[in-house]
């Protein structure tokens, strides 16, 4: 990695649900996560968050009854479909990416209302997105929170299942070494989060029969590894939801078949 590149920090990961955000919300809540109330973006999409120390998991979808369609959501596949870097200066990030030869969209500014004590307050963001296809596994972009206090709220972070943070995102690629080198150009991750890389054989070795629930593409975001949590409680919740699961001594891994994603509780 070029030593001049800044360190990378996770802002959030995205689970794209298309029109099925209600089902994703029920699953995450059933697994013992606090899921934030539905947010309505000015761009037309809707979301829920699972807020954790450091980065968070965003469930994003498109309302069926909306006259404002956020087409990029529907053009992207269902599943883990967003790796979002936290940056302090979005225009400078865009300039850096363009200087590296990457194709970046214009900087976007948008918001969504958040209920704080019965009052609607706008959570505001600035983002820059890389044009799709440059990183085959999914969408890559950067975000600055202009109102972080409206996202990282204590009442949203005390999850009943005990999960405290996102540890890693597993990138599956037909050429994992090349993929690892491509992502390394964007920065070196801090100690709290890691990108992992594997090929199809590695998926089968790590997840066994659960790998059958993952996408059938040459590259995709496969699994989110989470820190903390009461594994026995999470396993019981997964059984109650009828989710495919593997229980091992040091981890519980479960599949979200409708969303072609795995969650690993370490």
């Amino acid at each position: 990695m070029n030593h001049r590149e800044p360190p990378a920090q996770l802002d959030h990961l995205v689970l794209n649900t298309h029109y099925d955000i209600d089902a994703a919300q029920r699953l995450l809540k059933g697994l013992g996560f606090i899921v934030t109330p539905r947010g309505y973006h000015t761009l037309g999409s809707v979301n829920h968050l699972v807020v954790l120390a450091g980065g968070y998991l965003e469930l994003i979808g498109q309302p069926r009854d909306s006259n404002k369609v956020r087409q990029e959501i529907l053009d992207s596949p269902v599943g883990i479909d967003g790796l979002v870097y936290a940056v302090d200066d979005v225009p400078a990030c865009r300039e850096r990416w363009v200087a590296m030869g990457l194709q970046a969209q214009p900087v976007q500014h948008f918001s969504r209302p958040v209920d704080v004590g019965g009052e609607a307050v706008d959570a505001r963001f600035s983002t820059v997105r890389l044009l799709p296809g440059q990183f085959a596994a999914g969408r890559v972009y950067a975000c600055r929170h202009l109102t972080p206090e409206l996202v990282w709220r204590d009442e949203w972070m005390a999850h009943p299942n005990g999960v405290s943070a996102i540890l890693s995102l597993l990138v599956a690629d037909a050429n994992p070494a090349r993929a690892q080198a491509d992502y390394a150009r964007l920065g070196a991750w801090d100690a709290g989060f890691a990108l992992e890389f594997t090929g199809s054989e590695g998926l089968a070795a790590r997840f066994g029969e659960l790998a059958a629930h993952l996408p059938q593409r040459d590259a995709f975001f496969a699994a989110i590894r989470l820190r903390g949590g009461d594994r026995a409680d999470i396993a019981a919740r997964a059984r109650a939801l009828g989710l495919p699961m593997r229980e091992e001594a040091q981890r519980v891994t479960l599949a979200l078949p409708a969303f072609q994603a795995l969650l690993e509780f370490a």
Side-chain angles (χ1 to χ4, degrees):
M1 190 195 72
N2 187 325
H3 69 276
R4 291 174 295 178
E5 298 299 342
Q9 184 177 355
L10 179 68
D11 191 87
H12 64 282
L13 303 177
V14 181
L15 184 72
N16 191 341
T17 70
H18 282 194
Y19 293 111
D20 292 328
I21 195 166
D22 290 346
Q25 176 193 18
R26 287 193 297 270
L27 281 177
L28 272 293
K29 185 176 179 180
L31 287 170
F33 291 102
I34 294 172
V35 181
T36 64
R38 182 155 301 178
Y40 295 83
H41 292 132
T42 51
L43 299 176
S45 48
V46 293
N47 77 345
H48 294 278
L49 308 183
V50 174
V51 184
L52 298 156
Y56 59 88
L57 175 63
E58 177 183 26
L59 314 179
I60 199 159
Q62 173 65 41
R64 293 183 184 276
D65 57 356
S66 174
N67 57 9
K68 189 172 187 178
V69 175
R70 188 174 173 186
Q71 193 61 42
E72 69 174 297
I73 301 298
L74 301 180
D75 288 344
S76 299
V78 165
I80 307 168
D81 182 47
L83 169 62
V84 188
Y85 291 73
V87 298
D88 294 328
D89 188 329
V90 171
C93 176
R94 184 183 188 279
E95 289 179 9
R96 183 171 63 85
W97 283 352
V98 170
M100 293 166 58
L102 295 169
Q103 295 177 293
Q105 296 176 342
V107 172
Q108 279 186 310
H109 307 285
F110 62 104
S111 65
R112 59 176 173 84
V114 176
D115 186 309
V116 179
E119 180 182 356
V121 183
D122 278 345
R124 296 178 292 113
F125 319 89
S126 294
T127 62
V128 59
R129 304 170 192 276
L130 291 176
L131 266 63
Q134 297 172 90
F135 289 85
R139 297 182 299 144
V140 174
Y141 56 105
C143 178
R144 181 190 175 198
H145 288 263
L146 303 175
T147 52
E149 71 280 1
L150 297 179
V151 174
W152 282 274
R153 300 180 63 82
D154 290 343
E155 65 266 30
W156 292 342
M157 297 172 67
H159 298 285
N161 63 15
V163 171
S164 59
I166 296 173
L167 281 175
S168 67
L169 172 65
L170 180 64
V171 182
D173 195 285
N175 188 334
R178 182 185 62 196
Q180 185 169 9
D182 288 343
Y183 283 93
R185 298 173 62 207
L186 301 182
W189 292 100
D190 62 23
F193 175 78
L195 280 184
E196 300 179 287
F197 297 87
T198 190
S200 57
E201 291 182 1
L203 289 175
R206 181 164 169 174
F207 300 119
E209 68 282 0
L210 294 184
H213 298 286
L214 291 170
Q216 300 299 307
R217 302 194 300 272
D218 285 343
F220 52 90
F221 296 139
I224 297 170
R225 194 173 191 218
L226 299 149
R227 183 176 70 206
D230 181 333
R231 291 193 294 275
D233 175 67
I234 291 165
R237 291 173 180 272
R239 278 192 291 272
L241 292 166
L243 296 174
M245 178 178 56
R246 290 183 83 185
E247 290 184 83
E248 299 167 85
Q250 298 300 320
R251 64 175 178 163
V252 168
T253 308
L254 57 89
L256 305 178
F259 302 103
Q260 301 184 73
L262 303 182
L263 298 180
E264 192 176 28
F265 300 86

